[in-house]
Amino acid sequence: MAKKKLTAGLSVVVLAVLGFGLVWFKPWSLWVDETVREELPSAAATRTTPPTTPRQTPSTSAAPAGPQTVAAGKLISHEHTTTGSVKLVRLEDGTHTLRFEGLDTSNGPDLRVWLTDAPVKEGRAGWHVFDDGKYVSLGKLKGNKDDQNYALPAGVDWSAYTSVSIWCDRFDVSFGAAELARI
């Protein structure tokens, strides 16, 4: 009888550990792709002030007539193979958006997009550098494939940041990153 109770108790513990592991690691994420195909936000969608009327004269500090790329880079792999490009775009209304184009990385639990001041290093040397310095989380990664946009919060000075990381918050590791070169 004691042997049956021990076996039953051990079975419960094994199932609990297995269940916790599945919830924590979400291994199925590695085989499930989430494709996002967003267009760059248009001027009409981002405009917060009324357009200039013929009687008004725009100021010399007005934003350019269309979206303007102010920084760009190519993604490199860290924990998972990651490819694609990233651009920091100033929109017509003066706001900034981070844009991934042709993104291809693994899916994973709790992936975030971070704008950081950390250097981009190849391989394992780049795994843990992004949480050591200053960073701004732009939110959860919308998908692990294709084109997507992340608005920079108001008041964030994009020029204080030099790189972008696809950061796994669950395991404190970068899936991939790009250095942002000013244009």
Side-chain angles (χ1 to χ4, degrees):
M1 184 70 171
K3 194 173 188 178
K4 284 185 179 181
K5 285 185 178 182
L6 181 62
T7 302
L10 188 58
S11 296
V12 168
V13 169
V14 167
L15 286 174
V17 168
L18 181 62
F20 175 78
L22 287 173
V23 169
W24 183 254
F25 287 97
K26 296 184 180 179
W28 56 86
S29 295
L30 295 174
W31 296 282
V32 176
D33 289 332
E34 293 182 40
T35 301
V36 176
R37 292 190 177 105
E38 292 182 326
E39 295 293 325
L40 189 62
S42 69
T46 61
R47 182 173 286 137
T48 56
T49 58
T52 306
T53 62
R55 284 182 251 143
Q56 296 174 324
T57 56
S59 69
T60 56
S61 64
Q68 179 182 22
T69 300
V70 295
K74 291 281 184 195
L75 290 160
I76 66 165
S77 301
H78 282 149
E79 175 66 17
H80 292 269
T81 302
T82 302
T83 59
S85 62
V86 62
K87 298 191 308 187
L88 191 58
V89 179
R90 181 176 184 206
L91 302 175
E92 287 184 65
D93 65 359
T95 62
H96 290 84
T97 294
L98 184 82
R99 178 167 174 78
F100 288 113
E101 292 183 342
L103 173 65
D104 188 359
T105 191
S106 297
N107 206 343
D110 207 14
L111 295 180
R112 305 291 174 149
V113 177
W114 280 10
L115 188 60
T116 80
D117 67 349
V120 176
K121 298 178 181 178
E122 295 281 344
R124 295 176 79 82
W127 282 10
H128 300 285
V129 299
F130 295 101
D131 57 351
D132 291 340
K134 184 168 61 168
Y135 67 89
V136 174
S137 178
L138 302 181
K140 288 189 173 211
L141 187 70
K142 297 173 185 177
N144 62 311
K145 304 279 185 201
D146 273 336
D147 307 336
Q148 47 204 279
N149 306 304
Y150 297 87
L152 269 63
V156 170
D157 177 12
W158 65 268
S159 65
Y161 301 93
T162 58
S163 61
V164 174
S165 174
I166 298 173
W167 184 256
C168 180
D169 227 15
R170 172 89 32 97
F171 297 106
D172 291 331
V173 68
S174 174
F175 272 36
E179 186 174 330
L180 290 173
R182 307 300 192 249
I183 296 178

